Amino acid sequence: MEQTTKLPESVKYDLTFAREIYSLENGSYIKQCMQCGMCAISCATRDIMDYSPRRLFNLIKLGKKDEVLKSNTFWYCTSCCTCKARCPRGIPLVDVMHDLKRYAIKNGYVDYPQAAFCKAFWAEVAGRGKVFEGGVTARFYLIRGLDEVLKAMEMKDIGINMLKRGRLPMFPPKKIKGMGNLKKIIRKAQEIQRKEEAR
Amino acid sequence: MEKKIAVYICTGCGIGDALDIDALSKVASKEFKANICKTDAFLCGKSGIDLIKQDIDGEGVNTVVVAGCSSRVNTDVFNFGPDKIVERVNLREQVIWCHPGEDEDTQMLAEDYLRMSLAKLKNLNLPEPFIGENLSSTVLVVGGGFTGLTAALESARAGYKTVLVEKEAELGGYVGKMYKQVPMKPPFTDLEENSIPALIKAVEDAGVKVYTSAVIAKTAGGPGMFDVTINQNGTDVEERVGSIVLATGAKPYEPEKLGHLGFGQYKNVITQLMFEEMVAAGKMDANKVAFIQCAGSRDQEHLPYCSAACCIESIKQALYVKEKNPEANVYVYYKDIRSNGQYEHFYKKAQQAGVIFIKGDITDISESDGQLTIEADDHTMGTKSVADEFDLVVLANGMVPTAALGETVEEAPAEDEAAAASDEPKVTVAPIIKSNLLNLEYRQGPELPALKYGFPDSHYICFPYETRRTGIYAAGVVRAPMDMLSAAEDATGAALKAIQCIESTLKGEAVHPRSGDMSFPEFNMNRCTQCKRCTEECPFGAINEDEKANPLPNPTRCRRCGTCMGACPERIISFKNYSVPMIGNMVKAIEVPEEADEKPRILIFACENDAIPALDMAGINRLQYNPWVRIIPVRCLGSLNLVWINDAMAKGFDGVLLMGCKHGDDYQCHFMKGSELAEIRLSKISETLNRLGLESERVRATTVNIMDYDKIPAMLDEFAAELEEFGPNPMKDFQ
Ligand code: SF4
Ligand code: SF4
Ligand code: SF4
Ligand code: SF4
């Protein structure tokens, strides 16, 4: 059974939002969703999602901006790719989900902790060329604020255990070789993206 | 023809190991005094065939009995020309492959099958084909729309003289009025130019004789010799044609009946056809358009069926709007999008173009200032949906076949008064609707028998185009709702069938399903009591009636099913190679052991179309079944004459089982009505059996399709077990 919670009352169609989403890198694929539900039954985390990918796409088509951007669906996508592999219409759902995450962050829909994680993870990779768990955690809590740090303290035992078993390095690793080149690549990519968005 | 009979027993394929061949040979040579009886270890090989040929040339053998594999295999190998009778005894598939070898019962079975074949020969003769006089090779196509034009073109290009009759003054039909048409070729995503003008030109160039503003006033005769009266603008013209393609198409469902969707109330609610004409005339300037699918279709109050083309047509029309203005808002409200086959690509294309598809039921349509608001239950979201400011709402109003338009005439019931008064089961009579398309001069009514919803009846799985009037092939949306791609295929298929019919009729052969069969029913008229059974029961309307109510057979209309032969209470109808006495002899030739032997016997009449192949398949899969059965293949269960059952019960058989195809609305009977008629006849015999002190359950009918082969052993075992409960047939020792 799909969730029936959080459904909008009565649908009035406003296509401005839909058109905006369609203009994202993989956004236009959403148009060709035929609502078959294959993604919904394939998704590992669908049970905790507000809407299945199928429903999310339908909401986009109907122009329900708030419902879409406030939903947890794309934040709970684990990029397992099962839906992408199975969608009979060939929609790259995972990539669409990434686009939606970026779009949400850009538009200030950052209430979900995953949004903070996303930013922290990115900052780590961009700054170091690889991921340091300690760094991601620190950045995450910086973004989320003091309350979350207190909550995190409850998980300290897990952290200590992981440290003991060498699952969590104490000290940051060395930056990758050629960090300068990576930065260049990233800059170039961002430039292209800006140009595309300006179009 | 004086028969010189030679029996060849093949000992290959394990037959020689499983059976006592000497004993088998004795049945042929001693019991039946066959002129020649030989065995060979590889009869279908060169040496075996040479052996047979030598005897044909040297000894004058003209009747060859091959005891070996099923008659369904090696037909070409054991073919010694049209002047030789070949009879096959199925020792392989139906004996040694489904019964244990070196076994008394298996041996008895094999010997009985040989006896049956040899007894059969007594009343079997070579068929002489019926060649009609003044046969025509012209194909008549009725209807000049997309399907009709395509069929006419195909037939003309195949080299057949073709006549096309169109009711309207112009060719083209419904498709002719379209702005553009749905894709007909890969990648199935692009709108195509209307193909009708090019099609009309091609038809004219191919030399098709076209009558416009013309209707068929009368169709008499039969395949190869249809005499058709064409009324063109009030003048009658006669044409003799060999076969007919009926491609009269469909009419849009009356939109006046769709008031609940706003038609007639709001001027901006229009039909698919009106939209088509509006776009073609360049008058479409709406920028927010809704399409409402299944308007009238799939609705018990209106058309219960899916009209099959409207989804794709709406997708196409939605693309018209997007083509004109890519920013336009287009909504399609649907139950299910049925974009069959390749048209799935077309659906995707429309989505990519930004058409919004909403799965939901319309709850209200209202208007203010010429703009329409649609309320619906959105089934994907589980909410109400409201959309407004529509400039135009287009109803996909479905289609009604032209064959369904008219008054229904029921066929006269096949029963005499006494039977009609009782509550015995009756044949379900196919209605005939006076749709004024063909105006057949058939005793059975002026048009094609209809199945559901007025579509002409045909064997949907195996012979979709072949209606119940031989030589008349329905194609396109008059036959079944369909999209253009399917209609093109239908047109081509029906044209080929029409040609096949002409060619077969020229040779005096049957068309499907007994293609190539040259036998036809002959009537011994002196003993006819004019009971009309044959004329009523022939599923194909092959038998007319003269003024004195004598049956008048039309051999070219006949499909050789033998239903008339089974129906005739006087038993005066027979084929050269299939007759009541012939099967009767087979029944009589079977040895029924005495009661004390405790070897029951079950007689099976199995339909050659599905049951016999299924029985062979059971053998091929080495499924073992009851050894008490003796199987007699029949052309169709419809040819079952009750006297055979009398004979069998009198002879001491413990039970009789009829194996035929499924009947009813979704029948699979290759002769449409045969298996149903057989069961009705059976219900009539039960009283007689009871009177004789025999349980009527000893005789029963069952349906088998070819894929049921794996169920056959259980079917036969169960029947045998039930018969055992009744105890042996008390007539056993009185024969
Ligand atoms: S599997 Fe693909 S087409 Fe089906 S509902 Fe999901 S996204 Fe849509
Ligand atoms: S990729 Fe994301 S949306 Fe798709 S199945 Fe996996 S978790 Fe669900
Ligand atoms: S083709 Fe589509 S619109 Fe037409 S009846 Fe079928 S489902 Fe309904
Ligand atoms: S019942 Fe069958 S065999 Fe007899 S006339 Fe009709 S089609 Fe021919």
Side-chain angles (χ1 to χ4, degrees):
Chain A
M1 269 296 290
E2 290 198 19
Q3 309 82 341
T4 43
T5 48
K6 284 213 185 184
L7 277 182
E9 283 290 277
S10 169
V11 186
K12 266 244 176 193
Y13 306 95
D14 166 16
L15 304 182
T16 352
F17 171 64
R19 293 204 166 117
E20 214 167 301
I21 298 291
Y22 293 163
S23 69
L24 301 178
E25 188 181 347
N26 301 289
S28 71
Y29 282 112
I30 297 172
K31 287 194 227 166
Q32 70 201 45
C33 165
M34 60 172 174
Q35 294 290 305
C36 69
M38 182 46 111
C39 50
I41 60 155
S42 306
C43 179
T45 52
R46 187 210 41 155
D47 280 353
I48 53 170
M49 285 175 173
D50 293 333
Y51 310 109
S52 66
R54 173 185 76 82
R55 274 177 188 257
L56 190 77
F57 291 176
N58 206 34
L59 286 170
I60 292 172
K61 280 195 214 179
L62 304 181
K64 302 280 127 200
K65 181 168 181 173
D66 254 24
E67 279 86 347
V68 171
L69 294 177
K70 284 185 180 157
S71 80
N72 64 7
T73 302
F74 39 91
W75 294 121
Y76 276 142
C77 170
T78 61
S79 304
C80 70
C81 281
T82 313
C83 56
K84 182 175 170 178
R86 288 187 181 170
C87 171
R89 276 291 166 88
I91 300 173
L93 281 97
V94 179
D95 312 55
V96 175
M97 296 295 177
H98 283 293
D99 285 354
L100 287 171
K101 287 177 203 177
R102 278 198 52 233
Y103 183 87
I105 293 175
K106 221 168 111 189
N107 288 275
Y109 289 84
V110 289
D111 285 353
Y112 287 103
Q114 287 88 341
F117 182 83
C118 220
K119 282 187 186 169
F121 189 92
W122 171 241
E124 268 299 297
V125 176
R128 217 187 284 278
K130 52 170 86 161
V131 184
F132 167 52
E133 287 78 352
V136 175
T137 318
R139 284 179 207 266
F140 176 80
Y141 289 117
L142 270 177
I143 300 172
R144 293 294 290 172
L146 206 62
D147 288 2
E148 296 282 328
V149 179
L150 293 176
K151 261 193 241 161
M153 289 317 281
E154 291 165 19
M155 301 200 334
K156 66 175 190 309
D157 290 352
I158 302 180
I160 290 169
N161 277 336
M162 282 174 80
L163 270 173
K164 278 191 195 150
R165 287 184 171 69
R167 287 277 170 233
L168 200 66
M170 260 309 228
F171 303 103
K174 273 207 218 104
K175 281 186 188 170
I176 55 161
K177 267 188 237 159
M179 189 60 210
N181 287 338
L182 177 68
K183 288 224 158 118
K184 264 191 220 156
I185 293 174
I186 294 175
R187 235 182 342 248
K188 181 84 192 164
Q190 282 170 335
E191 223 170 83
I192 294 173
Q193 193 166 24
R194 261 194 300 277
K195 255 190 227 149
E196 265 178 14
E197 277 170 5
R199 256 197 295 141
Chain B
M1 173 173 104
E2 179 76 27
K3 289 193 195 83
K4 182 140 188 195
I5 301 174
V7 179
Y8 300 91
I9 303 173
C10 181
T11 59
C13 289
I15 300 171
D17 301 330
L19 299 173
D20 177 349
I21 301 295
D22 287 341
L24 212 49
S25 303
K26 269 187 207 127
V27 172
S29 48
K30 299 265 152 52
E31 253 180 68
F32 280 86
K33 315 237 170 330
N35 308 66
I36 293 173
C37 179
K38 292 183 178 167
T39 65
D40 190 273
F42 187 20
L43 200 59
C44 61
K46 184 161 187 318
S47 64
I49 299 299
D50 284 348
L51 178 75
I52 300 174
K53 283 195 177 144
Q54 270 163 28
D55 290 345
I56 289 175
D57 297 340
E59 309 287 329
V61 167
N62 56 15
T63 305
V64 179
V65 178
V66 173
C69 44
S70 161
S71 62
R72 296 177 49 79
V73 296
N74 285 336
T75 20
D76 50 338
V77 179
F78 296 117
N79 178 359
F80 304 102
D83 56 339
K84 307 285 179 298
I85 295 173
V86 176
E87 171 62 19
R88 308 278 296 271
V89 187
N90 190 345
L91 295 184
R92 193 176 73 174
E93 283 84 347
Q94 289 181 16
V95 181
I96 63 144
W97 277 357
C98 49
H99 297 283
E102 298 178 86
D103 176 275
E104 185 192 9
D105 290 323
T106 309
Q107 181 69 23
M108 287 173 109
L109 180 63
E111 288 177 16
D112 270 347
Y113 279 155
L114 185 55
R115 283 188 192 102
M116 285 152 77
S117 281
L118 289 164
K120 181 179 176 183
L121 290 175
K122 255 186 260 168
N123 291 72
L124 191 149
N125 288 299
L126 277 177
E128 292 150 22
F130 173 90
I131 311 280
E133 276 169 29
N134 205 358
L135 292 176
S136 161
S137 301
T138 305
V139 175
L140 167 68
V141 178
V142 188
F146 176 72
T147 309
L149 287 166
T150 310
L153 183 61
E154 294 288 350
S155 136
R157 284 199 178 151
Y160 289 80
K161 217 182 130 208
T162 307
V163 178
L164 179 68
V165 174
E166 165 59 44
K167 181 161 64 51
E168 303 292 330
E170 302 281 334
L171 293 172
Y174 187 95
V175 177
K177 302 192 181 78
M178 289 179 178
Y179 165 58
K180 283 190 180 174
Q181 72 181 35
V182 294
M184 302 289 281
K185 54 179 180 300
F188 295 98
T189 50
D190 305 322
L191 297 180
E192 287 181 12
E193 290 307 314
N194 192 323
S195 62
I196 294 288
L199 208 47
I200 294 176
K201 181 159 188 310
V203 161
E204 281 163 359
D205 291 350
V208 174
K209 189 165 170 189
V210 179
Y211 292 91
T212 47
S213 306
V215 292
I216 308 286
K218 194 174 89 185
T219 306
M225 42 214 275
F226 283 113
D227 287 314
V228 183
T229 310
I230 300 166
N231 185 296
Q232 188 179 35
N233 293 320
T235 343
D236 281 351
V237 194
E238 297 277 334
E239 288 276 358
R240 171 162 272 221
V241 300
S243 55
I244 301 174
V245 175
L246 181 75
T248 46
K251 288 261 171 293
Y253 182 64
E254 288 161 72
E256 290 74 24
K257 293 185 181 159
L258 302 172
H260 62 292
L261 295 174
F263 191 89
Q265 271 185 70
Y266 313 127
K267 69 173 193 328
N268 290 340
V269 177
I270 61 172
T271 65
Q272 276 191 332
L273 181 59
M274 290 160 80
F275 186 76
E276 208 65 64
E277 288 171 335
M278 184 189 259
V279 182
K283 296 206 181 104
M284 203 287 297
D285 45 21
N287 284 317
K288 189 161 179 185
V289 185
F291 291 87
I292 298 180
Q293 298 310 102
C294 300
S297 301
R298 304 175 67 196
D299 181 341
Q300 289 308 325
E301 313 264 290
H302 300 276
L303 304 173
Y305 53 83
C306 166
S307 293
C310 20
C311 277
I312 303 149
E313 289 299 323
S314 288
I315 289 171
K316 177 190 77 178
Q317 297 188 337
L319 286 171
Y320 291 170
V321 185
K322 283 285 185 186
E323 188 184 59
K324 195 148 179 272
N325 172 12
E327 295 303 311
N329 288 333
V330 188
Y331 292 70
V332 178
Y333 290 86
Y334 68 96
K335 275 198 175 90
D336 305 284
I337 290 292
R338 294 193 168 168
S339 51
N340 291 335
Q342 302 295 345
Y343 286 124
E344 195 63 21
H345 299 294
F346 195 43
Y347 172 25
K348 188 167 157 186
K349 164 71 182 279
Q351 290 182 303
Q352 286 166 334
V355 177
I356 308 268
F357 288 83
I358 300 164
K359 185 180 172 79
D361 289 331
I362 306 296
T363 49
D364 189 49
I365 297 188
S366 54
E367 186 196 42
S368 74
D369 295 339
Q371 293 205 310
L372 296 145
T373 300
I374 298 179
E375 285 175 43
D377 286 329
D378 183 329
H379 293 322
T380 17
M381 298 311 291
T383 54
K384 293 232 160 294
S385 102
V386 190
D388 53 9
E389 299 180 334
F390 285 110
D391 302 326
L392 210 52
V393 170
V394 184
L395 304 180
N397 54 324
M399 58 171 96
V400 183
T402 43
L405 304 171
E407 196 188 316
T408 304
V409 278
E410 293 289 334
E411 275 179 29
E415 308 299 316
D416 51 54
E417 274 170 36
S422 74
D423 49 13
E424 279 170 7
K426 284 194 204 81
V427 195
T428 48
V429 189
I432 288 186
I433 302 165
K434 279 194 182 164
S435 49
N436 198 20
L437 300 176
L438 292 169
N439 290 307
L440 299 170
E441 288 266 287
Y442 280 42
R443 184 200 169 279
Q444 292 80 0
E447 299 290 337
L448 302 173
L451 191 61
K452 261 191 165 173
Y453 317 128
F455 292 98
D457 189 8
S458 68
H459 189 287
Y460 193 78
I461 304 172
C462 303
F463 319 103
Y465 316 124
E466 287 128 8
T467 70
R468 276 177 56 186
R469 295 296 175 252
T470 309
I472 304 178
Y473 301 89
V477 289
V478 69
R479 181 177 79 74
M482 64 183 75
D483 54 49
M484 282 182 66
L485 210 52
S486 318
E489 202 175 278
D490 247 45
T492 314
L496 279 173
K497 281 286 160 189
I499 290 169
Q500 189 186 33
C501 171
I502 287 173
E503 291 300 327
S504 301
T505 309
L506 285 175
K507 288 187 270 179
E509 289 177 354
V511 292
H512 50 86
R514 298 188 58 81
S515 37
D517 185 355
M518 298 217 240
S519 67
F520 60 91
E522 292 163 88
F523 293 66
N524 180 355
M525 288 308 283
N526 330 334
R527 284 183 15 235
C528 172
T529 60
Q530 286 122 358
C531 75
K532 299 185 204 277
R533 284 275 156 79
C534 55
T535 48
E536 305 279 4
E537 292 195 13
C538 169
F540 306 104
I543 309 170
N544 270 9
E545 216 167 70
D546 68 10
E547 317 77 59
K548 291 192 197 118
N550 288 314
L552 262 184
N554 288 270
T556 66
R557 288 187 204 164
C558 172
R559 295 203 193 164
R560 285 74 164 169
C561 59
T563 299
C564 50
M565 170 180 127
C568 179
E570 298 299 314
R571 303 194 287 278
I572 61 166
I573 307 174
S574 57
F575 298 78
K576 283 268 185 319
N577 54 4
Y578 188 60
S579 61
V580 178
M582 183 187 98
I583 303 285
N585 287 342
M586 290 173 79
V587 174
K588 288 179 200 139
I590 300 167
E591 293 200 335
V592 179
E594 293 185 358
E595 192 181 328
D597 295 336
E598 294 190 5
K599 286 190 187 299
R601 284 293 176 259
I602 302 167
L603 188 62
I604 297 184
F605 291 105
C607 156
E608 279 176 12
N609 299 296
D610 260 40
I612 287 289
L615 282 155
D616 275 3
M617 296 245 291
I620 290 165
N621 287 284
R622 305 298 198 278
L623 305 179
Q624 304 284 303
Y625 55 74
N626 193 295
W628 312 139
V629 301
R630 300 293 180 265
I631 300 162
I632 297 184
V634 290
R635 289 187 174 189
C636 169
L637 272 196
S639 66
L640 177 98
N641 196 296
L642 290 181
V643 71
W644 300 337
I645 296 184
N646 283 336
D647 287 355
M649 294 320 280
K651 200 169 155 54
F653 273 89
D654 297 279
V656 178
L657 185 64
L658 313 183
M659 279 187 171
C661 306
K662 185 162 158 204
H663 45 79
D665 265 1
D666 52 349
Y667 67 85
Q668 293 189 13
C669 175
H670 291 53
F671 293 103
M672 279 123 168
K673 285 279 152 195
S675 57
E676 182 181 348
L677 286 163
E679 268 198 47
I680 286 167
R681 283 179 209 149
L682 203 57
S683 67
K684 290 184 185 150
I685 202 175
S686 48
E687 205 186 314
T688 326
L689 290 174
N690 286 336
R691 227 181 297 131
L692 290 170
L694 285 169
E695 299 78 2
S696 52
E697 291 89 350
R698 284 182 187 272
V699 182
R700 62 177 77 160
T702 177
T703 56
V704 174
N705 79 46
I706 193 157
M707 291 316 292
D708 286 339
Y709 69 93
D710 56 334
K711 304 193 184 78
I712 282 178
M715 214 179 259
L716 299 179
D717 288 344
E718 261 164 47
F719 187 45
E722 283 174 44
L723 290 175
E724 208 157 339
E725 275 178 28
F726 296 135
N729 177 349
M731 318 287 280
K732 248 185 215 302
D733 297 340
F734 291 103
Q735 41 168 312

